[in-house]
């Protein structure tokens, strides 16, 4: 669950950075009242924490994961 949430936040952050780079438009700032607005800063912090969390994905050993399916 945490991995998926972190990836979703990283996608949001990546799309936002793409918009900044291509169009000089910060969607997060636009939605939440500017770059220094509390809600914008919270989103930026959550994206940064998600990036730090996802570093752990590089070092995980997923060889023990069991694949289960509801239909066989």
């Amino acid at each position: 669950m945490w991995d998926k949430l972190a990836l979703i936040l990283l996608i949001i952050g990546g799309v936002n950075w793409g918009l900044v780079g291509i169009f000089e438009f910060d969607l997060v700032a636009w939605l939440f009242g500017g770059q220094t607005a509390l809600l914008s800063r919270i989103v930026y912090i959550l994206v940064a924490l998600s990036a730090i969390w996802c570093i752990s994905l590089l070092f995980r050993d997923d060889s023990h994961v069991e694949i289960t399916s509801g239909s066989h």
Side-chain angles (χ1 to χ4, degrees):
M1 178 182 115
W2 290 110
D3 294 344
K4 287 184 182 182
L5 180 60
L7 287 172
I8 289 168
L9 286 168
L10 281 179
I11 291 167
I12 290 168
V15 169
N16 193 59
W17 272 113
L19 290 171
V20 169
I22 296 168
F23 302 110
E24 297 181 10
F25 177 70
D26 187 340
L27 181 63
V28 172
W30 182 77
L31 287 174
F32 297 113
Q35 288 182 336
T36 59
L38 180 63
L39 287 176
S40 294
R41 291 174 49 110
I42 290 170
V43 171
Y44 298 144
I45 290 167
L46 289 174
V47 169
L49 291 173
S50 296
I52 293 167
W53 176 270
C54 286
I55 291 171
S56 72
L57 296 175
L58 296 172
F59 302 104
R60 288 196 196 157
D61 178 19
D62 290 334
S63 62
H64 67 279
V65 175
E66 293 182 29
I67 298 174
T68 58
S69 175
S71 61
H72 287 276

